[in-house]
Each structure stands twice: as structure tokens, then as C-alpha cells.
Amino acid sequence: MKEDPSFRHAGRLLCAALLLALGAGCQQDAGPPDVEARAEARWNHLIEGEYEQARAYYSPGFRELVSEQQFRDNMRDRPLRWLAAEVLGSECEEKRCTVWTEVTYRAIKARMGQDSVEIPTTVEEPWIQVDGQWWYAQD
């Protein structure tokens, strides 16, 4: 059965509304626009395969531990390809934010002759502020 695109869009809006409603009842603040813009830019670089540019959004500590070559190799070796990303919202406390992004990716099957599968999912990502700048803090 083929899914109605308007139903999928309505589902996304409902999810975003629920996230906003849940956040409104908390002591947390909605994230600043720059953390969401940086999260979206990082995803756009990952989608385009621009790994060096994507790595620039990771925390300074991560970049000290993981070289450009290691990062690039890790991204290229994944059994998936990111296709789209849309930031749904964020919540912050002090210098920490959680950003929710809906990401669609294609899982690449290991066996020859099988089709790949596209999968949408919502990811929750930690961001931290260091010296006035927001950085993705990979776990």
C-alpha cells in the first residue's frame, strides 16, 4: 500500500508540535537559532559527502582526538547514505542543547541484487557551547 504524502507531512507536523508542547512545560529554553542553523549545516555537509566541512562542527575535543582522515574514513565506510535532514527543534539549559532532527537515510544492503531501503528517523543530538560557539558533542 502506498503512503499518502500529505499523511506523512501531517505526521511530521504532529511530532514537531508534540516536541514543542513538551518543551513548553519544562524549565528549559528553546534553543537559540544559531545552534539549530549549525545543526542543519552539519547535516547538509554530511549529506553532500563534505566530511571535512561537517567535521568542523564537532567539538574541539573531538577534533583533537579524531583526525580528518579518520573521520572521513569512518563516514565513507558506513553502510548507509544520508539523503535529507530537517531540524525539528531544540531545547537548551545553560551551555548545553538537545537538537532534534528528522533524518532520512538509505540503508545499503550487503547482499548483491537486493534493493536499498530508505528510512526516516528522528535523532536527538547533544550540542555544547564553548567560547561562545555551539559544537556538536558526539557521544
Side-chain angles (χ1 to χ4, degrees):
M1 184 166 96
K2 189 172 182 177
E3 184 177 320
D4 181 1
S6 62
F7 180 76
R8 186 172 180 194
H9 181 70
R12 287 181 186 167
L13 290 175
L14 178 62
C15 286
L18 286 172
L19 285 173
L20 291 173
L22 288 172
C26 300
Q27 297 256 352
Q28 301 169 327
D29 297 326
D34 56 330
V35 73
E36 292 183 14
R38 288 181 60 78
E40 187 170 330
R42 178 182 151 273
W43 273 109
N44 288 338
H45 288 302
L46 289 171
I47 290 165
E48 294 299 321
E50 301 167 343
Y51 303 126
E52 291 81 11
Q53 292 92 330
R55 183 179 169 274
Y57 290 87
Y58 285 68
S59 70
F62 176 86
R63 287 180 284 131
E64 283 181 24
L65 295 173
V66 180
S67 72
E68 285 184 27
Q69 185 65 46
Q70 289 171 319
F71 184 79
R72 185 174 35 254
D73 290 348
N74 180 277
M75 292 294 128
R76 287 182 180 160
D77 290 344
R78 291 175 183 242
L80 58 90
R81 295 293 174 258
W82 295 290
L83 304 174
E86 178 184 356
V87 172
L88 300 175
S90 61
E91 290 182 359
C92 299
E93 289 181 355
E94 304 274 330
K95 296 185 178 201
R96 295 189 59 82
C97 284
T98 300
V99 177
W100 289 275
T101 305
E102 182 176 282
V103 178
T104 301
Y105 63 94
R106 178 178 294 130
I108 301 168
K109 301 265 183 156
R111 294 185 184 153
M112 298 294 286
Q114 289 185 329
D115 292 333
S116 61
V117 178
E118 289 185 15
I119 303 167
T121 190
T122 301
V123 295
E124 183 177 307
E125 300 179 320
W127 285 74
I128 58 172
Q129 190 179 57
V130 178
D131 296 330
Q133 182 65 269
W134 288 102
W135 305 98
Y136 173 60
Q138 180 171 342
D139 294 338

